[in-house]
Amino acid sequence: MAPTYDHPGEQAAHDPIRLLAVRDAPLSLDEVFRAVGDDAAGGTTLFVGTVRNHDGGSDVEGLGYSSHPSAEDEMRRVAEKVVADFPVRALAAVHRVGDLRVGDIAVVVAVSCPHRAEAFQACRKLIDDLKHEVPIWKHQTFSDGTEEWVGAC
């Protein structure tokens, strides 16, 4: 059964996908947060993925992200699925490519919805699906001189 809503503000916005990008420049939390601003939203969830100093028991020196030319199209497909499944008022996702250092921001996603629970759920779905479905690859370099490629994201 389809959900029912008490107010038009609880329905999905007409064009809720406000920002999708793969960039080789530092990402802005403010830009993403502003992109999902909506007067009908009672909850906004923002997720920031950063480069951590370890992975799998090894110290990370740095990493590089690369993407397939279809990455932004795939981001749109993922975003459209999230919008179809939740009453999203606004959605944004930006992923970095290129060389990053420990502490750098690698990805920022945000979703605003009428209520906080929906915003949390939609944002979690967005980042999880981006990680698994968008062709962005991570090349990690470790302090012991080893390196590895990691699938999507």
Side-chain angles (χ1 to χ4, degrees):
M1 176 183 235
T4 58
Y5 302 102
D6 296 330
H7 188 275
E10 293 184 75
Q11 299 170 11
H14 178 65
D15 186 15
I17 300 172
R18 308 269 177 86
L19 172 64
L20 295 175
V22 175
R23 296 184 177 156
D24 62 359
L27 306 181
S28 166
L29 301 179
D30 290 337
E31 176 192 24
V32 174
F33 184 70
R34 281 192 309 271
V36 297
D38 190 286
D39 289 343
T44 299
T45 302
L46 182 95
F47 172 81
V48 180
T50 56
V51 178
R52 65 180 177 265
N53 67 0
H54 68 281
D55 189 36
S58 297
D59 293 333
V60 172
E61 288 277 317
L63 55 82
Y65 283 102
S66 59
S67 66
H68 188 273
S70 68
E72 285 187 7
D73 292 337
E74 290 302 309
M75 286 176 83
R76 176 159 294 280
R77 186 184 59 73
V78 166
E80 287 171 350
K81 282 182 8 188
V82 171
V83 167
D85 292 344
F86 297 92
V88 172
R89 299 299 308 170
L91 176 150
V94 184
H95 202 295
R96 178 95 183 265
V97 292
D99 293 331
L100 285 79
R101 295 184 314 247
V102 170
D104 285 347
I105 297 171
V107 61
V108 183
V109 300
V111 176
S112 60
C113 292
H115 304 283
R116 72 179 176 273
E118 300 157 341
F120 276 113
Q121 292 167 345
C123 193
R124 175 76 184 253
K125 176 83 170 147
L126 177 61
I127 189 60
D128 286 350
D129 289 356
L130 283 176
K131 180 173 175 126
H132 292 105
E133 298 178 28
V134 176
I136 297 174
W137 304 281
K138 177 171 58 175
H139 180 239
Q140 297 187 114
T141 306
F142 300 102
S143 61
D144 65 4
T146 60
E147 56 187 49
E148 75 174 346
W149 283 92
V150 180
C153 256

